[in-house]
Amino acid sequence: MKDIAEIRADFPILNRKVYNKPLVYFDNGATTQKPQCVIDAVTEVYTTYNANIHRGVHFLSDMSSEAYENAREKVRSFINAGKREEVVFTSGTTGSINGIAFSFGERYIKPGDEIIISHLEHHANIVPWQMMCERKGAVLRVIPINNAGEIILEEYLKMLSSKTKLVSVTQVSNALGTVLPVNEIIAAAHSVNVPVLIDGAQGIQHGVVDMKTMDCDFYVFSSHKIYGPTGIGILYGKEKWLSELPPFQGGGDMVDKVTFEKTTYNELPFKFEAGTMNYPGAIGLARALDYVNSIGRENIAIMEKELLSYTTEKLSGINGLKIYGNSVRKISIISFLLKDIHQYDAGMILDKMGIAVRTGTHCSQPVMDRYGIDGTIRASICFYNTKEEIDTLATGIEKVISMFS
Ligand code: PMP
């Protein structure tokens, strides 16, 4: 296995300086940096075989179509989905959830039906359901959380009823790092025949994700959060759902036969892939998954667990620093505030020290409302980060505090 210096050398951007200071990148929850092999894969498409997929009979088109379909197979195997037909390329998590919210709403939702989400959701897993509920006269129910930032499972179980038509929850909270008990959530929903969508935007990159064992009905994620290019993501859906659901976009490639009277749709998964897809992104994503596999997902989880406990210990020792989100099951995201100091001020000063953290609501305003705050400072850490960088963060925070005292 590669050591940390070798791993970091794979990510050219980690070597740069900002304001003449070594970059300390702790904004991996927003987007991850890319290894050279991913950058090369995308460059390779444009320099050697760029052509639109699926439509041509010429050499380059065959080559890009094959690489695109190989990428689909790579994703299938990475998440251990049963069939390639169940793996749809989209623009990302947001695109996938909006697509399902639209199609599911059109196909199954009547006035008075209920959709369950949790209080920990990113806006991408709130707003599309609100839009669908508004369109269809359905009701959005929200699983509450406790002070530690964990969902209250008993409240969820009480919410499930014959009115429930779908449960859509995140695997991991991007604002607090909480890992949700998705297996229990899915099992309870399935016991009353309700399908479940899992937002894997923050879950896919922190350990092994397996569709057969998780048994969710839909799983969505973005490539850019797992070291792949932006603008591409995945909608996994069980075949029985994807074959019943209507497409959420119409256009080229998603059709079988088009006449002005009637159009029939292409087979799965192409029914859900309208227009020119982001094939260089898909090919880059496949390379990113190869890279993650080469490090080993278990290894990544172990490294990040150690970094999380180191950070938690370090930051907890700072007087005036309060951590939000103390779930027993957590990934390497630490949200915090510094007593009277506004999070933007702290973030801007840390930035001048070369430390990139995120400040604000993290697209999870309801989480902030739950704690009566208007945002946090968030350090989201991944396996290419080091304990030395965490020390730099801790020293930086101490400096911020002393500047304001
Ligand atoms: N869900 C969660 C939990 C997220 O963290 C994010 C990204 N911050 C999203 C959804 C949306 O992802 P994207 O912007 O890539 O569509």
Side-chain angles (χ1 to χ4, degrees):
M1 167 152 164
K2 288 181 176 180
D3 65 24
I4 185 68
E6 289 168 316
I7 289 173
R8 287 180 68 82
D10 290 334
F11 294 80
I13 207 170
L14 296 181
N15 204 21
R16 71 158 290 167
K17 294 196 163 163
V18 290
Y19 311 113
N20 229 10
K21 311 250 168 28
L23 168 69
V24 174
Y25 187 75
F26 283 149
D27 197 15
N28 297 290
T31 200
T32 55
Q33 299 302 348
K34 318 304 167 199
Q36 187 63 49
C37 60
V38 168
I39 301 166
D40 289 346
V42 176
T43 307
E44 227 168 81
V45 176
Y46 289 122
T47 50
T48 61
Y49 61 95
N50 178 50
N52 208 334
I53 50 169
H54 293 159
R55 286 158 217 185
V57 288
H58 60 82
F59 185 84
L60 295 189
S61 181
D62 271 353
M63 212 171 150
S64 62
S65 303
E66 194 182 329
Y68 179 73
E69 289 309 321
N70 287 344
R72 192 191 308 280
E73 170 55 25
K74 185 80 64 183
V75 175
R76 185 210 63 72
S77 137
F78 191 82
I79 60 173
N80 198 24
K83 298 178 167 179
R84 57 182 284 288
E85 287 80 359
E86 296 178 320
V87 177
V88 175
F89 284 112
T90 64
S91 58
T93 306
T94 303
S96 299
I97 299 176
N98 274 278
I100 289 301
F102 177 82
S103 295
F104 202 89
E106 290 308 295
R107 179 76 172 77
Y108 298 111
I109 302 299
K110 300 181 303 305
D113 285 347
E114 294 182 356
I115 308 295
I116 298 178
I117 61 170
S118 88
H119 206 122
L120 288 172
E121 302 311 317
H122 184 279
H123 297 162
N125 199 26
I126 301 174
V127 185
W129 304 112
Q130 283 176 325
M131 290 161 67
M132 184 257 254
C133 286
E134 207 167 301
R135 239 182 21 253
K136 294 286 159 182
V139 179
L140 194 64
R141 306 284 309 271
V142 182
I143 312 167
I145 55 172
N146 61 22
N147 283 338
E150 296 159 325
I151 66 153
I152 305 172
L153 208 53
E154 308 82 71
E155 294 297 325
Y156 162 65
L157 298 178
K158 279 192 242 159
M159 262 176 211
L160 283 169
S161 78
S162 58
K163 290 186 189 160
T164 315
K165 290 295 175 295
L166 187 109
V167 175
S168 184
V169 292
T170 192
Q171 190 178 3
V172 171
S173 156
N174 65 307
L176 304 178
T178 311
V179 177
L180 279 78
V182 290
N183 293 340
E184 287 90 326
I185 291 172
I186 294 164
H190 284 178
S191 72
V192 287
N193 292 322
V194 171
V196 181
L197 183 150
I198 299 295
D199 171 354
Q202 298 290 343
I204 187 76
Q205 68 282 54
H206 295 292
V208 178
V209 168
D210 183 315
M211 291 303 103
K212 297 219 176 95
T213 50
M214 192 184 279
D215 195 32
C216 55
D217 299 272
F218 304 100
Y219 186 89
V220 301
F221 66 93
S222 303
S223 154
H224 71 97
K225 309 244 193 214
I226 183 163
Y227 316 105
T230 48
I232 185 84
I234 295 297
L235 159 59
Y236 157 83
K238 281 184 180 163
E239 190 179 25
K240 70 167 179 154
W241 292 113
L242 293 186
S243 47
E244 276 189 24
L245 288 172
F248 38 78
Q249 283 192 316
D253 225 24
M254 52 75 73
V255 290
D256 170 34
K257 192 166 175 2
V258 179
T259 65
F260 288 121
E261 289 70 40
K262 188 174 167 58
T263 289
T264 52
Y265 302 131
N266 204 339
E267 59 200 21
L268 288 178
F270 310 112
K271 179 173 103 175
F272 293 103
E273 294 182 358
T276 296
M277 298 301 289
N278 180 2
Y279 53 92
I283 293 161
L285 167 61
R287 193 68 67 89
L289 300 183
D290 276 342
Y291 180 80
V292 166
N293 278 335
S294 77
I295 305 290
R297 287 187 269 176
E298 285 90 353
N299 294 334
I300 287 176
I302 293 167
M303 289 157 87
E304 290 177 347
K305 193 167 172 217
E306 196 174 328
L307 290 171
L308 172 65
S309 35
Y310 188 76
T311 316
T312 309
E313 202 186 308
K314 267 259 144 153
L315 299 198
S316 306
I318 297 176
N319 204 1
L321 184 148
K322 180 174 177 193
I323 293 179
Y324 289 83
N326 301 295
S327 169
V328 179
R329 292 182 63 214
K330 219 182 140 170
I331 51 99
S332 45
I333 286 178
I334 297 112
S335 251
F336 59 94
L337 282 176
L338 308 176
K339 228 174 25 205
D340 303 328
I341 306 169
H342 196 275
Q343 76 263 11
Y344 290 135
D345 293 333
M348 272 158 58
I349 298 169
L350 289 171
D351 171 55
K352 296 294 178 295
M353 301 174 193
I355 305 167
V357 288
R358 188 144 291 247
T359 54
T361 65
H362 319 297
C363 294
S364 298
Q365 282 178 24
V367 176
M368 302 302 134
D369 292 346
R370 168 66 178 70
Y371 291 103
I373 54 179
D374 63 359
T376 67
I377 306 160
R378 181 185 75 179
S380 47
I381 292 164
C382 80
F383 71 99
Y384 51 54
N385 291 124
T386 64
K387 289 186 178 167
E388 291 71 39
E389 288 182 310
I390 293 160
D391 293 342
T392 306
L393 173 67
T395 311
I397 292 170
E398 298 273 19
K399 271 193 203 148
V400 172
I401 293 173
S402 74
M403 278 170 75
F404 280 84
S405 62

